[in-house]
Every structure is written in C-alpha cells, then in structure tokens.
C-alpha cells in the first residue's frame, strides 16, 4: 500500500532557516520575560528576584509587549513543524504577557487612587531621566573652599501668591551621584506650582567620611533657601526638606535634629526647622543598613561614618533618623516600594508607626511592584504616582 503523500512537501531551506531563527529568538525572549515576571511576583527567587522587580515593576507594558512578540515567534515555529516546543513556548509567553499586564493594572489602580493624571505616552517613552534643565544654578555654600551648588526649578510667577518649596538631596549611598538626578522631579513639581532646590552635598570616600559634614551642608542649603525666599517668590513658612534613598536619610536626620536642637549651623545663623520632611525609600537606621548589607548598604554606611558600628557607635547613632524620634517633629512623608530590598517596606513602615506613636503627622505610602529607586524610570506608572503623592503632600495646607 502506498503511504499518503504530504501535499506541502518537505520544508524548503529558507523555511527551515526562518523556523530556526524564530525558535532561537522565541527561546531567548521567553527565558528573559519568564525570569522577569517570576522575579517580580516572587522576589525570593535568586537573581530573578533582583531583576524582576526592577524591570517588571518599572516597565510592565514593555515586558508584556516583548512576551507577545515571543509568543508570535513561537507560534510561527509551531506552524513550521516544531509542534510540541512551539506550543509550550507560545502558552508560556502568553501567560507572561498576562502576568506583566496584571502588574501594570495593579499599578494603574494605585495611580488612580492617588489622583494621578496618568500618561501612557510617558510610560512608554520616558524610560530614564528626562532632559530637563534648572532655571538657575547657584552656589549656596563653600565649605573647605569647595563650592556646593543648588539647582533651582521655579514655578511660573503668580501675582499675589507665594509658592511652597522643597529642598531635595539626591540618592547615591552618601558617596556618589549628584543633584542632576533630581531634574525630572524638580521640573515636574515646578510645572505644578512647587519650587524645587536640588542640592549637592559633600560625598564620602574610603578615606573621607562625611557623617559630620553632609548634614551641615543640608543645614546650609536650607538656610540659603530660607534667606532667599522673597527673591524666589517662596512662602517661607512652607519650605520642606527631603531626599531620595541616602538623601532621604540625610534629610530626615538633619530636619529632626534641627527641630530637636541637636545640630547647629557651622557658619552663620541656624535655620528654622523645615515645615515638613520627605523620605523616598530612605534608610531609617544606618546601623541596620550596615547589618543588612544589601546592594551596597554596608559599604555605604562604612564610607559615610568612617568605620563599623562597633568602631563608631556614636556616629551611627547620630546620623540615624531613628535616634531623633520625639513629639512635635515636622509632618513627614515616607514613600517606599513593596519590593524594595535595601530600604525594606516593613522597616520604613515601622519607622512611620514610631513617629505616629509620638503624635507626628506621618504618611506612609507603599507602592506596588516597586523596587529601590523606582523613580529612575521617569515615565513609569509608579514614578508618576510617586510624584503625585509628593505634590499633594507639599501643597496640602496643614497650617
């Protein structure tokens, strides 16, 4: 008996090559999106739990799109004859796309709840810091003969009205980065009526601890802004102090010590304590940063203080916001991602609870599927949400 013939005949070489390319690309993309999505949902997975919350949390729609491309490529390989493999990868990548879209949906709901004017165009196009420029750059102090500068992002003048303001300290583990990292947040807040002063401060190095210098720099910056309030159209009673990561640690520590009278200006008059305080994914206890040793926190703590907690317990205590919790402190906003490994959400929440127990007006906002420095991706839904939360805090009149 003659066997049935395949009407299509054997696959041609170009078809086989195309099928092979589709299979290789689909395999690579499937592995990538699977690691990201699994890591975003299960941060305890080694390696995937590091990249997943960062990429999946900041770019869920991009990840979903990549997963769908992988599904299409796998489906082509499936139709080309790789049936079992193609079917498996098609199903797997489709599920990854659904999982990534679910992350985006959860973040979208959080953005809506915060009153965010969501821009999906920004979510797709603004992957990093925007190319924003300050309205002015000034020298606010020159300790040790080295100028420290501030970038001013100013709102449009409104006759008869003075704007609230915030002095912001950048992230970087006390030893790296600079004020330009705050340009996106600074420009956006200024466009929405808040004056922003992004400051540089003396950075630590292996042979140059700055535990007693960087707080003095923020004291000087706050003093400079208060003295120049009229020149910049600022309401002097609504000047806040805040920062991101190590900058948040520094800002909270400086603000609380100013209020408690445990820090004075090294040169000139000591400024008034700020009207409110902001910490975005801050380290609340520098000793705990050293103990956790996550993503460089131990190195940062040692560089900042000049040694270990055992060597310098007084220094660690002095620079930790947890040491200055007292009644009457300025109103405080804490923002952290629920996937943050270095500024763990339970630690930030516990710090907020400790403030509340002392009667301090405190808001703690935990953002879904967000890792440390979530606002580096300027257009992400989480970054958009965090800016709206910050704007509301700074413009809400609690006087």
């Amino acid at each position: 008996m003659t066997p049935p013939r395949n009407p299509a005949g054997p696959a041609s070489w170009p078809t086989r090559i195309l099928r092979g390319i589709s299979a290789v690309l689909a395999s690579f993309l499937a592995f990538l999106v699977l690691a990201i999505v699994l890591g975003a949902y299960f941060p305890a997975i080694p390696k995937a739990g590091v990249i997943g919350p960062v990429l999946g949390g900041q770019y869920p729609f991009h990840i979903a799109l990549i997963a769908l491309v992988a599904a299409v490529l796998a489906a082509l390989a499936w139709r080309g004859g790789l049936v079992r493999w193609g079917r498996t990868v098609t199903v797997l990548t489709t599920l990854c796309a659904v999982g990534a879209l679910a992350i985006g949906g959860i973040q979208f709901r959080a953005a809506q709840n915060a009153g965010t004017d969501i821009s999906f165009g920004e979510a797709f196009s603004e992957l990093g810091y925007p190319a924003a420029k300050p309205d002015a750059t000034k020298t606010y102090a020159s300790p040790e003969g080295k100028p420290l500068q501030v970038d001013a992002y100013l709102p449009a003048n409104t006759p008869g009205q003075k704007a609230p303001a915030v002095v912001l300290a950048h992230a970087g583990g006390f030893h790296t980065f600079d004020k330009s990292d705050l340009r996106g947040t600074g420009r956006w807040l200024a466009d929405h009526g808040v004056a922003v002063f992004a400051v540089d401060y003396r950075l630590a190095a292996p042979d140059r601890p700055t535990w007693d210098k960087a707080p003095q720099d923020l004291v000087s910056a706050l003093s400079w802004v208060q003295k120049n309030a009229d020149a910049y159209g600022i309401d002097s009673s609504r000047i806040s102090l805040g920062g991101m990561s190590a900058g948040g640690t520094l800002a909270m520590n400086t603000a609380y010590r100013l209020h408690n009278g445990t820090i004075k200006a090294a040169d000139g008059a000591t400024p008034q304590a700020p009207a409110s305080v902001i910490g975005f994914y801050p380290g609340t206890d520098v000793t705990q940063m050293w103990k956790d040793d996550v993503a460089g926190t131990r190195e940062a703590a040692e560089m900042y203080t000049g040694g270990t907690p055992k060597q310098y317990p007084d220094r660690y205590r002095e620079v930790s916001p947890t040491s200055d919790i007292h009644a009457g402190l300025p109103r405080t906003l804490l923002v952290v991602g629920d996937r943050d490994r270095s500024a763990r959400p339970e630690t930030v929440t516990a710090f907020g609870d400790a403030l509340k127990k002392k009667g301090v007006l405190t808001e703690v906002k935990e953002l879904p599927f967000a890792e440390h420095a979530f606002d580096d991706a300027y257009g992400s839904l989480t970054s958009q949400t965090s800016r709206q939360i910050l704007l509301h805090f700074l413009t809400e009149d609690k006087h």
Side-chain angles (χ1 to χ4, degrees):
M1 180 175 180
T2 304
R5 299 175 60 187
N6 182 359
S12 63
W13 279 108
T15 300
R16 293 178 183 178
I17 292 173
L18 181 62
R19 183 180 64 190
I21 292 174
S22 298
V24 170
L25 284 176
S27 298
F28 172 75
L29 294 177
F31 176 79
L32 177 66
V33 296
L34 180 62
I36 291 172
V37 173
L38 282 179
Y41 280 94
F42 307 103
I45 298 175
K47 296 185 179 180
V50 176
I51 65 169
V54 175
L55 298 178
Q58 292 182 337
Y59 312 109
F61 300 113
H62 300 80
I63 301 304
L65 186 59
I66 293 172
L68 289 175
V69 169
V72 170
L73 291 172
L76 289 175
W78 179 3
R79 287 176 60 87
L82 298 177
V83 177
R84 186 176 300 174
W85 177 92
R87 182 171 55 219
T88 300
V89 175
T90 300
V91 172
L92 186 63
T93 50
T94 301
L95 290 175
C96 286
V98 172
L101 289 173
I103 293 173
I106 292 169
Q107 292 180 339
F108 177 77
R109 177 61 61 86
Q112 284 186 314
N113 292 340
T116 308
D117 186 10
I118 301 165
S119 169
F120 282 102
E122 282 188 3
F124 276 98
S125 62
E126 295 284 1
L127 305 184
Y129 297 123
K133 294 183 179 180
D135 296 293
T137 298
K138 301 290 185 179
T139 297
Y140 72 84
S142 297
E144 303 171 330
K146 297 180 180 180
L148 291 172
Q149 294 189 317
V150 51
D151 286 341
Y153 300 86
L154 305 173
N157 289 328
T158 304
Q161 293 185 11
K162 292 188 175 183
V166 60
V167 179
L168 286 179
H170 64 83
F174 307 112
H175 64 93
T176 188
F177 302 152
D178 60 39
K179 56 184 170 49
S180 66
D181 289 349
L182 298 164
R183 60 186 180 269
T185 299
R187 182 78 276 152
W188 188 89
L189 286 174
D191 290 344
H192 289 78
V194 176
V196 177
F197 297 88
V199 300
D200 279 334
Y201 50 88
R202 281 173 284 185
L203 299 177
D207 59 345
R208 188 182 67 242
T210 55
W211 63 275
D212 57 343
K213 297 178 177 63
Q216 286 291 342
D217 296 340
L218 283 204
V219 169
S220 297
L222 182 62
S223 178
W224 185 89
V225 173
Q226 290 178 355
K227 290 175 182 176
N228 289 277
D230 288 340
Y232 289 108
I234 295 168
D235 183 347
S236 60
S237 68
R238 300 176 70 190
I239 299 175
S240 303
L241 183 61
M244 282 61 179
S245 192
T249 304
L250 181 58
M252 293 192 301
N253 175 245
T254 303
Y256 295 161
R257 289 169 66 190
L258 278 172
H259 183 274
N260 295 334
T262 57
I263 189 171
K264 303 291 183 182
D267 183 26
T270 300
Q272 295 180 352
S276 59
V277 187
I278 299 108
F280 267 44
Y281 40 90
T284 57
D285 186 335
V286 181
T287 300
Q288 192 63 48
M289 288 173 56
W290 187 91
K291 291 178 179 177
D292 289 344
D293 192 20
V294 177
T297 57
R298 177 171 293 182
E299 179 188 16
E302 290 187 3
M303 206 177 296
Y304 184 45
T305 61
T308 68
K310 186 176 181 179
Q311 289 175 294
Y312 301 111
D314 291 342
R315 293 183 184 182
Y316 274 80
R317 186 163 46 250
E318 182 172 312
V319 298
S320 296
T322 50
S323 303
D324 294 287
I325 296 177
H326 298 287
L329 290 175
R331 190 166 63 101
T332 299
L333 171 66
L334 303 170
V335 182
V336 67
D338 68 359
R339 299 297 196 270
D340 200 319
R341 295 181 302 129
S342 50
R344 291 180 288 117
E346 60 269 24
T347 301
V348 175
T349 299
F351 180 76
D353 290 341
L355 288 171
K356 292 175 184 178
K357 287 180 180 178
K358 292 294 184 179
V360 181
L361 291 175
T362 305
E363 297 179 38
V364 181
K365 302 295 185 179
E366 191 171 318
L367 302 179
F369 289 97
E371 237 284 16
H372 201 71
F374 52 75
D375 48 346
D376 284 354
Y378 178 82
S380 69
L381 292 187
T382 300
S383 187
Q384 293 186 46
T385 304
S386 70
R387 289 195 295 272
Q388 182 60 48
I389 290 170
L390 179 55
L391 176 66
H392 182 264
F393 180 82
L394 291 169
T395 55
E396 186 181 22
D397 193 351
K398 289 287 186 178
H399 287 66

